Amino acid sequence: QHELLRFLFSPYAVRHQNFDYSDLADIDLCASGQSDIWESMHGAVYDESPSEAQLGTPESSLNELAEDLLETFLSIVHIRFPILDPEDIRNRFASPDTHPAGPISHPLLAVALAFGARFSDNPAIAADREEISTREQGIRTRSRLVQLLVLRAREVCEMRKIHRIVTEENCATLILLEPLLGQSTFLKEKYQAYHAAAAGRHAACLGMMTRENLLGIRDEKARMLSVYMWWITGLSDGWRSVFNKLKPLFNDHDFDVEPPSFINAAKSSHHGQGGGSAEVDDVESSTFLWFTAGAAGAYICRQLCYGLWTPRVRRSGIATSTLRDFVHANSQWRDRYIAKLGVPSKWPDQWDFLAAISSCSTDAYYHCLWMIVHQAIEEYGLEDEKNDRGGGNHVELDSLTRRISEESGQSALRVASLISVLTENGYLRLDPLILSHPAYIAGLILARAGRPECKPCIAGLRQYSIAFGHLWEAAEEVEQLYCTATGTSASNSVGATPHLPSYPPAVHGSGGMSVDALISDPTASIGYEQGPLDWRNQAQGYEQGRDDGEWNVPGAGAHLVNLSYAAGVRRFGLELTIRLQVDSHLCLW
């Protein structure tokens, strides 16, 4: 275990085999122009001088540093991917030679440490980030130490052949490796979920997809972890595929496992939207409902993949039946789950990071599907129009496309609003890319339309880039699109990021502004009359504070963010002035 740590934390490129691992394979790939990950910087990271902070970290403290990164991983990443036993992981790390289960496998430990490092505020990481960022002349934030950890974690996984050796620990490692690398935004159309696909094949080989095989696992804890491993693999496959134009690995006939009904987490409840209160007080029913909603959403995603991302559709256009089925299924999903699992109309007083990010993710994923389908229509066209089919079908088709365009326009603003609040609270700094794609696609739609509401998405992506450096380029892409659409320069296009209300209207249906309307009238406000509004009456989701124009927005439990506003501003007018007063411990774990 210590030799692994020496390799992972080596300040210089490892060009020998003294640690059983080396950087040579990746260095050679970069030299041949085949770099496929931002962290390598096309090989420059290996030649870059280490920071004083990294050089000053003695070997005797590596175990302590690794323990801290492991705790960060378990505190931030594990709660989103609950596929490990935290106590077991801690004990195996502390006693690698004497624990009955043996040491943590090198690939899993390397991935956990690299993932923890992305979100760590350990003094060694923080000092490295500060020193390395000065080399960027204030343009961006990055840590060479973290970059090397990510690259070497992948190298350890490949050296240990975890993609073809089927074990539960290798399956869990591959599930985590996919989001750790975060290659989808960097590689764009070249992206293939290689590691997640290998995890899915491992899950199938291990029998995790059938109830009969899972019931054969006698240890209850091991059986529950297998259930979670399968469900996270299956759900991620559906959503990842529709987000990245991939063919799904699974379909709904491949498994018969019931959603898990218990998770070892704190209770959480909130009030739903619409006609009354929808509280989920019981942890078991809450978890079961979340996974049931995720499964229903993943089914919609897989059907969209078959209806949108095939060569035939690219050539012939999207079938009317695909749009009809999607509008019906997504609307039905909204009616069943958004009020219970999405962001409530009033922000709860006692919401922690996990509750806030989970509800925002559910809300944003639903809205993201409308944007994806609208973009597919613009890109591939409609089958009936390309074939010039007459008859009454045009009436239905016009109705469907208008509805999708309206929902897409509303959804972009809705996601921008959620991203704005999460960014203000520093939550995206701690998010393992769960909300990065909705933020990116909403930013693109709003930027192309010349809408200043894209600015929270730009700010959110830049906050993401503290942990995932390649998202800085995604933010730059959105900003450049906005500058092109508005004829402004990048130097003053973002400036003070505008604040959007957390809860845009019209979550429950159409009738709002379409994407075309966003483009034709960049000053319009979706779902509201033009002209000034009384913000003390219209600010949904905010607690009304004093009469001098302030609201207190609960950020995380007792942490409050104070927002001051400019009177007489429209609902989506953007002359809003933001004053943030955030508890200094808000983002610390």
Side-chain angles (χ1 to χ4, degrees):
Q1 183 169 290
H2 185 68
E3 291 302 300
L4 172 67
L5 299 184
R6 291 181 65 195
F7 167 66
L8 292 176
F9 292 105
S10 172
Y12 297 102
V14 178
R15 303 174 188 271
H16 55 76
Q17 298 293 336
N18 296 348
F19 303 143
D20 294 330
Y21 306 102
S22 79
D23 297 318
L24 287 173
D26 198 51
I27 291 173
D28 290 342
L29 281 175
C30 293
S32 62
Q34 299 182 64
S35 173
D36 62 349
I37 186 171
W38 176 85
E39 276 72 15
S40 69
M41 297 167 57
H42 303 288
V45 71
Y46 294 110
D47 298 324
E48 188 178 16
S49 300
S51 67
E52 291 297 327
Q54 190 174 10
L55 288 174
T57 303
E59 279 194 16
S60 58
S61 66
L62 292 184
N63 205 68
E64 182 181 349
L65 174 58
E67 185 177 6
D68 184 72
L69 298 185
L70 189 61
E71 282 300 322
T72 303
F73 165 79
L74 293 173
S75 299
I76 296 176
V77 181
H78 172 72
I79 59 175
R80 303 310 306 275
F81 300 92
I83 56 178
L84 301 170
D85 181 351
E87 199 60 34
D88 181 67
I89 292 295
R90 291 187 181 99
N91 293 336
R92 290 171 65 190
F93 177 79
S95 307
D97 299 324
T98 59
H99 194 278
I104 305 171
S105 70
H106 282 193
L108 178 57
L109 180 57
V111 167
L113 295 180
F115 228 149
R118 283 199 183 276
F119 306 109
S120 175
D121 283 326
N122 181 280
I125 302 287
D128 179 79
R129 182 180 291 116
E130 182 178 359
E131 182 178 339
I132 297 299
S133 296
T134 60
R135 302 175 186 178
E136 301 289 337
Q137 300 178 339
I139 297 175
R140 70 192 308 157
T141 300
R142 69 180 179 92
S143 164
R144 179 177 179 271
L145 196 159
V146 174
Q147 289 174 250
L148 289 175
L149 277 174
V150 172
L151 294 168
R152 288 166 176 169
R154 181 172 68 166
E155 185 64 27
V156 170
C157 291
E158 292 177 348
M159 286 284 290
R160 291 289 176 141
K161 307 293 189 294
I162 69 169
H163 295 81
R164 61 184 177 89
I165 299 177
V166 180
T167 67
E168 290 187 3
E169 197 149 291
N170 284 349
C171 183
T173 304
L174 288 164
I175 292 172
L176 295 168
L177 182 60
E178 193 70 56
L180 167 67
L181 301 180
Q183 293 172 290
S184 61
T185 309
F186 179 73
L187 294 178
K188 297 185 181 297
E189 68 277 357
K190 295 181 180 180
Y191 171 71
Q192 292 291 325
Y194 174 67
H195 312 291
R201 288 190 291 270
H202 285 7
C205 291
L206 292 165
M208 295 180 184
M209 302 159 66
T210 64
R211 183 180 180 87
E212 180 182 2
N213 288 332
L214 289 174
L215 290 176
I217 302 175
R218 294 185 178 182
D219 184 77
E220 184 178 353
K221 185 181 293 185
R223 182 169 62 250
M224 183 55 64
L225 288 176
S226 293
V227 171
Y228 274 109
M229 211 175 297
W230 155 246
W231 273 95
I232 289 174
T233 301
L235 298 187
S236 301
D237 174 60
W239 291 97
R240 183 189 300 109
S241 297
V242 79
F243 285 170
N244 298 289
K245 300 183 179 181
L246 304 175
K247 180 181 178 181
L249 188 63
F250 304 107
N251 62 55
D252 289 80
H253 303 293
D254 291 333
F255 62 95
D256 64 355
V257 182
E258 290 294 315
S261 58
F262 178 77
I263 185 170
N264 186 20
K267 287 186 178 181
S268 65
S269 64
H270 65 260
H271 293 281
Q273 294 178 325
S277 169
E279 298 188 10
V280 186
D281 293 317
D282 184 78
V283 177
E284 293 190 13
S285 62
S286 174
T287 304
F288 183 83
L289 180 63
W290 190 92
F291 276 97
T292 302
Y299 173 80
I300 296 173
C301 292
R302 284 190 287 269
Q303 299 308 305
L304 278 178
C305 290
Y306 301 136
L308 299 179
W309 311 142
T310 66
R312 185 197 64 80
V313 171
R314 293 189 182 96
R315 182 183 68 254
S316 304
I318 302 170
T320 301
S321 60
T322 297
L323 303 182
R324 183 193 307 119
D325 293 344
F326 164 71
V327 169
H328 173 73
N330 214 35
S331 300
Q332 202 171 50
W333 191 95
R334 173 202 63 207
D335 296 339
R336 288 179 179 174
Y337 301 113
I338 279 289
K340 297 176 181 178
L341 297 173
V343 179
S345 57
K346 185 179 187 302
W347 194 272
D349 294 338
Q350 301 299 325
W351 251 15
D352 59 12
F353 165 75
L354 180 59
I357 204 79
S358 296
S359 287
C360 287
S361 299
T362 302
D363 207 301
Y365 274 36
Y366 157 75
H367 288 92
C368 194
L369 293 185
W370 292 106
M371 295 187 282
I372 287 172
V373 174
H374 180 265
Q375 285 193 321
I377 292 173
E378 289 193 329
E379 187 172 353
Y380 303 137
L382 303 168
E383 185 179 42
D384 286 350
E385 289 186 352
K386 285 188 174 183
N387 295 330
D388 196 24
R389 294 172 181 167
N393 198 40
H394 279 308
V395 176
E396 180 190 22
L397 189 58
D398 290 344
S399 176
L400 289 169
T401 53
R402 183 169 60 253
R403 168 75 184 279
I404 291 169
S405 179
E406 290 172 352
E407 293 282 7
S408 179
Q410 294 180 43
S411 293
L413 290 168
R414 172 73 173 185
V415 170
S417 300
L418 298 176
I419 294 300
S420 176
V421 173
L422 293 173
T423 303
E424 288 164 9
N425 286 290
Y427 284 168
L428 299 183
R429 168 70 176 84
L430 304 175
D431 179 40
L433 295 185
I434 304 295
L435 277 163
S436 61
H437 192 87
Y440 177 60
I441 193 172
L444 290 178
I445 287 175
L446 293 169
R448 289 191 187 105
R451 297 283 298 198
E453 292 94 337
C454 70
K455 296 178 183 180
C457 297
I458 297 171
L461 291 169
R462 285 180 175 161
Q463 188 175 104
Y464 262 123
S465 73
I466 298 173
F468 295 89
H470 67 280
L471 289 178
W472 183 273
E473 276 75 19
E476 295 285 287
E477 179 187 355
V478 174
E479 183 180 15
Q480 188 56 51
L481 281 173
Y482 176 70
C483 293
T484 301
T486 58
T488 57
S489 63
S491 60
N492 58 20
S493 64
V494 175
T497 302
H499 173 70
L500 287 171
S502 313
Y503 309 99
V507 176
H508 293 282
S510 60
M513 178 177 295
S514 68
V515 173
D516 292 337
L518 285 176
I519 297 173
S520 62
D521 185 6
T523 64
S525 291
I526 178 172
Y528 276 80
E529 295 178 359
Q530 300 295 320
L533 293 174
D534 183 353
W535 274 72
R536 279 167 288 190
N537 295 328
Q538 296 292 342
Q540 299 178 0
Y542 288 96
E543 280 189 324
Q544 186 173 338
R546 301 192 303 272
D547 290 333
D548 59 358
E550 289 190 353
W551 290 281
N552 290 323
V553 185
H559 308 292
L560 299 181
V561 179
N562 294 326
L563 303 178
S564 63
Y565 68 93
V569 183
R570 286 201 313 265
R571 172 73 170 176
F572 282 93
L574 295 170
E575 296 84 1
L576 209 62
T577 304
I578 303 175
R579 183 173 73 252
L580 295 178
Q581 297 174 349
V582 185
D583 188 289
S584 60
H585 298 290
L586 178 64
C587 299
L588 300 182
W589 287 83

